[in-house]
Amino acid sequence: MRFSFPLVILCLVLLPLKGDTIQTRILPPNGYNRVKTEVNSFAEYLKSFPLKPEGSPVLLFNGNTKQNQVHEAVFQFPLLNRDLIQCADAIIKLRAEYFFQKKEYSKIKFKITNGMEVPFSKFAEGYRISVNGNQTKWILKNINKGYTRKNFDDYLVFIYAYAGTSSFQKELSKREISKIQIGDVFIEAGFPGHAVLVVDLVENKFGEKLMLIAQSYMPSQEMHILKNDSPHSPWFEIPKGEFQSPEWTFPKGSLRKFLD
């Protein structure tokens, strides 16, 4: 039997396609709808973040495959060839990249472990930081001035090296679990600690929400969306007490939000 040309086109259009972002690939469970987000918001940026092809493994910074594959999808998230971008660093990178592409450079600023705030604007002015033990100070180098990609990458490498969950938690304020939003962070500070990012939310008609969680981990590895053993996987139920992720248990009250 021969199909007419229009019918062939129709059949092709009806073929199911796998999306290449969170909001196009990972659909809400039955009875749930995505929580609406503002255009150009950090939440929208996260939901639209490109994903690697379906079935991709999580890779480590050295190109090896992560031993514990507990993910649903992997971000298109280039790593350095050093063990630098771990859990908090990956979230910092996403937040910084969001502001960088919007050219909101003044909002790119993070604290390092000794408490010093390091704004990207100082790097753009040609300053760099001298580190001596726990002591840090700005030094004018007069090199690579401007809000360039190179300066931005150099800035992030410095932040990765000298920030962690302990300093990152100070960038955040507590969020009531009932008011959870996309872009919030579950974090437990420590050496080591851990942090995961809420990258999407859905809600049913009863007001019950489910969340998608993404993480990097140790050693440095690609950012990935976690899965679980529930019928709604990879969606997680909103925890009433502690939050058990596949590789960390966060105590009650661990949810945080960005200050601005």
Side-chain angles (χ1 to χ4, degrees):
M1 178 178 180
R2 296 178 113 188
F3 293 114
S4 67
F5 181 72
L7 183 56
V8 171
I9 296 298
L10 178 62
C11 290
L12 290 174
V13 169
L14 293 178
L15 287 175
L17 299 174
K18 278 292 186 180
D20 58 2
T21 67
I22 290 172
Q23 62 184 346
T24 57
R25 183 181 300 179
I26 303 177
L27 302 180
N30 289 337
Y32 287 83
N33 293 298
R34 277 194 155 88
V35 171
K36 292 183 179 179
T37 52
E38 295 181 10
V39 176
N40 295 324
S41 63
F42 184 50
E44 192 72 19
Y45 174 79
L46 293 175
K47 294 197 307 182
S48 303
F49 204 89
L51 301 175
K52 294 179 72 174
E54 188 181 14
S56 297
V58 176
L59 300 180
L60 306 181
F61 69 97
N62 57 11
N64 291 342
T65 300
K66 179 182 178 180
Q67 184 175 4
N68 192 19
Q69 298 284 319
V70 289
H71 66 284
E72 177 71 17
V74 184
F75 282 41
Q76 290 277 8
F77 194 82
L79 296 174
L80 303 172
N81 59 1
R82 290 176 282 169
D83 188 9
L84 276 182
I85 305 178
Q86 298 180 359
C87 58
D89 308 304
I91 299 172
I92 286 171
K93 176 176 172 62
L94 287 171
R95 184 75 170 173
E97 292 279 3
Y98 165 68
F99 287 129
F100 186 78
Q101 58 95 25
K102 291 186 70 179
K103 298 184 179 180
E104 295 183 7
Y105 305 123
S106 64
K107 295 183 179 180
I108 304 173
K109 51 187 176 181
F110 299 96
K111 292 180 180 179
I112 56 177
T113 302
N114 71 353
M116 180 184 187
E117 184 175 79
V118 182
F120 172 47
S121 59
K122 294 286 285 186
F123 269 61
E125 293 169 4
Y127 286 88
R128 295 297 182 267
I129 295 178
S130 172
V131 179
N132 182 14
N134 198 42
Q135 301 300 311
T136 52
K137 63 179 181 180
W138 289 105
I139 296 178
L140 181 59
K141 292 287 190 177
N142 283 319
I143 56 171
N144 301 326
K145 290 186 177 182
Y147 293 100
T148 64
R149 183 75 213 190
K150 184 182 186 312
N151 274 349
F152 181 59
D153 288 340
D154 289 346
Y155 168 80
L156 287 179
V157 167
F158 179 84
I159 296 296
Y160 302 150
Y162 292 99
T165 53
S166 180
S167 60
F168 185 47
Q169 184 167 283
K170 297 183 176 78
E171 309 279 348
L172 311 168
S173 61
K174 284 197 171 186
R175 168 90 79 185
E176 293 180 25
I177 196 68
S178 62
K179 298 179 180 179
I180 189 170
Q181 293 185 18
I182 301 169
D184 287 350
V185 179
F186 286 92
I187 186 167
E188 183 175 16
F191 302 94
H194 193 39
V196 298
L197 180 65
V198 180
V199 294
D200 206 353
L201 288 169
V202 293
E203 187 173 19
N204 65 18
K205 64 181 181 181
F206 304 108
E208 298 166 334
K209 293 180 180 178
L210 302 172
M211 59 185 179
L212 278 186
I213 297 295
Q215 71 165 21
S216 179
Y217 203 44
M218 300 178 293
S220 179
Q221 57 197 250
E222 294 173 310
M223 193 77 165
H224 50 280
I225 296 171
L226 294 167
K227 62 184 179 180
N228 57 73
D229 295 329
S230 80
H232 297 309
S233 181
W235 300 92
F236 286 79
E237 293 184 359
I238 307 300
K240 295 182 174 62
E242 66 179 21
F243 172 46
Q244 177 69 61
S245 76
E247 296 184 297
W248 197 271
T249 300
F250 295 92
K252 183 179 181 180
S254 298
L255 187 66
R256 299 288 192 276
K257 63 179 179 178
F258 284 96
L259 297 177
D260 55 0

